[in-house]
Amino acid sequence: MDLKLKIWRQTGPDVEGKFVHYPVHNISKDASFLEMMDILNEELVANGEEPVAFDHDCREGICGMCSLFINGHAHGPDDSITTCQLHMRKFKDGETIVIEPWRARPFPIIKDLMVDRSAFDLIIQAGGYVSINTGGVPDANAIPIKKENADLAMDAAACIGCGACVAACKNASAMLFVSAKVSQFALLPQGKIEAKQRVENMVAKMDDLGFGNCTNTYACEAECPKDISVANIARMNREFLAAKVS
Amino acid sequence: MNLSYSSITKKIWMSLMGLFLMIFLVVHLGINLLLLFDPTRELFNEVAHFMGTNPIIQIFQWVLFAGFAIHIALGVILQIQNWIARPKRYKVKAISEDSFFSKFMIHTGIIILIFLVIHFANFFIKVKVFHGVDDFILAGVNTGMEDMGLLVVKLFELPEYVIGYIIVLLLLGFHLDHAFQSAFQSLGLNHPKYTPCIKGFGHVYAIVISLGYILIPLVIYFTK
């Protein structure tokens, strides 16, 4: 496959960036998107040019490190996958592919396509945990948990914190991420003890960091590589309302 | 207003006021439709007179104004915060929203607000402030009520007003189409069984309200 890439290049956080055109040739349709980026970077290095900086780590869709806004979609045009799981067969030969970084005020660009997602860590630090004195190993069935709730908590915990929800949201809202992290605790008895402070502190931190508000457009759910449901957002709204009125 | 209210608090107020205004739209439509069923305008004028003089309605009128004010103010504040949250826009942005009209709430909202000002000047201010409406004469007898119906009929005989009215009411329909289900989601009312019903009912509500209001000028204009 021959492709025309249009990639956002920015040398540093406070520098003006711009789109640069890169043609790439003889890309296998079975190559992954990031392998295609590696091939481009090898060519750039061989030509003495600066390679394109982009985030990646496990390359098997579980670490949440890769990002990229590809042709208007977070993690590219395919559903329910991360960019590292995207393959070139999803594109047409000769296609122009526009590659942009996540764009949100709380996610400042570090370089090229890399953004700083520390804002998510700060939200987790504000309440995304349970304070448990870990003593001996408790008996597995000491606390009964409904199967449905265990499943829903597990579904919420599938969030890898990649930031696609923020990137896809027209308001750069982090509601899907925060609600998944609130839900995974709120659904389980261990998380209920600190539920009130957790939802209040995490939402306050989310607002402080400058994420937008939720307009219930559900673009986040559509673009989430882990299919996190917007039902979590409603759960967080319930938790928040309950915390505020109690 | 304290701008430090959290995003969710603002959304909860936004949805509560929105739901309140949606109930108002149903009542208002119900009264307007009376014009179609009574060519003498007596029914409509009697209800309009009641709405304009009943003390409980008079108090509730201020609640309604407050509802509008809160809904509009919050909508503007939320939108400004949303724009600030993404200082640099994407070059290419595909449509991935599940609720399409959600993208245009501020735009449809502003047009509805402009209409509201015109609507207010045409009816409320004209009647309440300037008393600029003729008395309703029924069978040669002055009923002591204002002829609100005639005011409506006269406006709906102007083609430019009818066209403008239809456009705004269609946009109101688009606004409501997203608004209905969104209000429930903001209030945390999401359920695997009931949410699809809420979404379906929201579409029906938006269509009924929009077409219901549009029907009135069309009938008046083409039967004048």
Side-chain angles (χ1 to χ4, degrees):
Chain A
M1 295 172 82
D2 294 336
L3 300 155
K4 299 184 204 75
L5 304 180
K6 212 168 164 184
I7 300 177
W8 182 260
R9 300 301 309 257
Q10 184 172 332
T11 52
D14 303 316
V15 195
E16 268 297 299
K18 63 175 192 301
F19 280 99
V20 181
H21 295 249
Y22 296 102
V24 286
H25 304 285
N26 299 322
I27 301 291
S28 162
K29 68 177 172 48
D30 296 323
S32 81
F33 195 85
L34 294 187
E35 281 164 353
M36 186 275 296
M37 294 294 288
D38 292 336
I39 294 166
L40 168 70
N41 275 345
E42 279 175 11
E43 284 174 18
L44 290 177
V45 172
N47 295 338
E49 290 177 59
E50 185 74 12
V52 179
F54 62 92
D55 272 321
H56 60 109
D57 194 4
C58 76
R59 295 209 178 193
E60 53 187 24
I62 55 167
C63 77
M65 201 58 209
C66 60
S67 54
L68 304 187
F69 209 74
I70 304 160
N71 281 353
H73 289 284
H75 292 297
D78 208 354
D79 290 334
S80 313
I81 56 158
T82 56
T83 296
C84 63
Q85 295 169 301
L86 176 66
H87 284 78
M88 298 315 294
R89 53 181 166 268
K90 286 283 162 191
F91 299 90
K92 291 188 210 73
D93 191 29
E95 191 174 340
T96 301
I97 305 175
V98 181
I99 309 169
E100 298 176 74
W102 284 175
R103 294 208 186 274
R105 192 161 66 105
F107 286 170
I109 293 175
I110 300 168
K111 189 181 178 184
D112 296 337
L113 302 170
M114 286 175 88
V115 296
D116 182 358
R117 284 169 281 183
S118 307
F120 273 8
D121 299 332
L122 296 174
I123 294 172
I124 294 294
Q125 283 168 22
Y129 51 82
V130 283
S131 314
I132 294 174
N133 286 322
T134 51
V137 181
D139 185 53
N141 294 317
I143 308 169
I145 298 170
K146 263 171 71 181
K147 173 81 169 84
E148 292 84 0
N149 284 0
D151 287 348
L152 286 172
M154 197 62 206
D155 289 346
C159 168
I160 52 176
C162 64
C165 45
V166 176
C169 175
K170 74 180 183 69
N171 307 334
S173 167
M175 287 285 276
L176 193 66
F177 166 78
V178 180
S179 68
K181 298 303 170 192
V182 164
S183 289
Q184 71 189 34
F185 294 112
L187 285 157
L188 300 176
Q190 293 90 337
K192 287 213 162 62
I193 298 143
E194 291 158 299
K196 184 173 147 66
Q197 309 93 288
R198 176 180 305 110
V199 68
E200 286 186 333
N201 292 343
M202 288 179 81
V203 169
K205 181 52 84 177
M206 170 184 84
D207 290 343
D208 269 1
L209 289 163
F211 289 101
N213 305 289
C214 181
T215 307
N216 302 323
T217 74
Y218 313 136
C220 51
E221 184 185 70
E223 297 280 358
C224 176
K226 296 296 160 188
D227 294 331
I228 303 294
S229 165
V230 292
N232 289 302
I233 296 181
R235 184 177 296 104
M236 178 162 77
N237 291 342
R238 285 200 296 277
E239 288 278 318
F240 186 84
L241 192 56
K244 283 289 174 196
V245 297
S246 65
Chain B
M1 169 169 283
N2 183 0
L3 293 181
S4 67
Y5 280 126
S6 83
S7 56
I8 298 179
T9 306
K10 286 194 283 258
K11 286 297 294 188
I12 287 170
W13 277 105
M14 189 78 186
S15 55
L16 288 174
M17 294 305 117
L19 287 171
F20 172 57
L21 297 178
M22 283 187 236
I23 296 168
F24 160 72
L25 282 175
V26 174
V27 176
H28 196 325
L29 175 62
I31 297 171
N32 285 13
L33 284 173
L34 293 177
L35 270 176
L36 298 186
F37 298 110
D38 177 16
T40 65
R41 304 190 299 277
E42 190 186 359
L43 257 178
F44 180 82
N45 282 338
E46 266 180 20
V47 177
H49 186 72
F50 171 80
M51 297 300 278
T53 50
N54 182 287
I56 295 168
I57 305 279
Q58 294 310 292
I59 296 166
F60 230 77
Q61 166 184 296
W62 291 100
V63 179
L64 178 67
F65 293 159
F68 269 112
I70 293 169
H71 191 74
I72 293 163
L74 282 176
V76 171
I77 293 167
L78 288 163
Q79 185 59 57
I80 290 170
Q81 288 179 329
N82 294 344
W83 279 326
I84 293 171
R86 175 162 295 139
K88 180 129 183 83
R89 308 185 83 77
Y90 292 108
K91 186 175 175 66
V92 181
K93 178 80 178 83
I95 293 168
S96 47
E97 286 80 9
D98 180 52
S99 182
F100 179 72
F101 294 118
S102 64
K103 288 182 82 159
F104 307 107
M105 293 306 270
I106 190 71
H107 313 97
T108 49
I110 285 170
I111 293 168
I112 295 162
L113 174 60
I114 294 168
F115 168 77
L116 208 58
V117 173
I118 297 169
H119 191 67
F120 217 63
N122 277 344
F123 294 97
F124 190 86
I125 294 177
K126 195 166 186 179
V127 178
K128 291 268 181 177
V129 182
F130 297 112
H131 307 287
V133 181
D134 296 336
D135 284 344
F136 180 45
I137 315 284
L138 186 66
V141 182
N142 190 335
T143 58
M145 295 185 292
E146 285 131 341
D147 199 348
M148 290 292 287
L150 187 65
L151 199 60
V152 179
V153 171
K154 272 183 182 167
L155 270 175
F156 284 158
E157 284 176 351
L158 307 171
E160 66 272 18
Y161 192 86
V162 171
I163 291 167
Y165 188 86
I166 290 171
I167 291 170
V168 172
L169 266 295
L170 282 175
L171 293 174
L172 175 68
F174 297 157
H175 196 80
L176 294 172
D177 184 73
H178 169 69
F180 193 83
Q181 57 85 18
S182 178
F184 285 86
Q185 171 79 1
S186 289
L187 292 170
L189 301 171
N190 182 306
H191 188 278
K193 207 184 280 176
Y194 303 116
T195 297
C197 304
I198 289 170
K199 285 187 177 175
F201 186 81
H203 295 313
V204 172
Y205 172 84
I207 292 168
V208 167
I209 290 288
S210 187
L211 295 188
Y213 276 104
I214 287 172
L215 183 69
I216 297 159
L218 285 180
V219 170
I220 291 175
Y221 184 77
F222 287 107
T223 57
K224 70 177 174 186

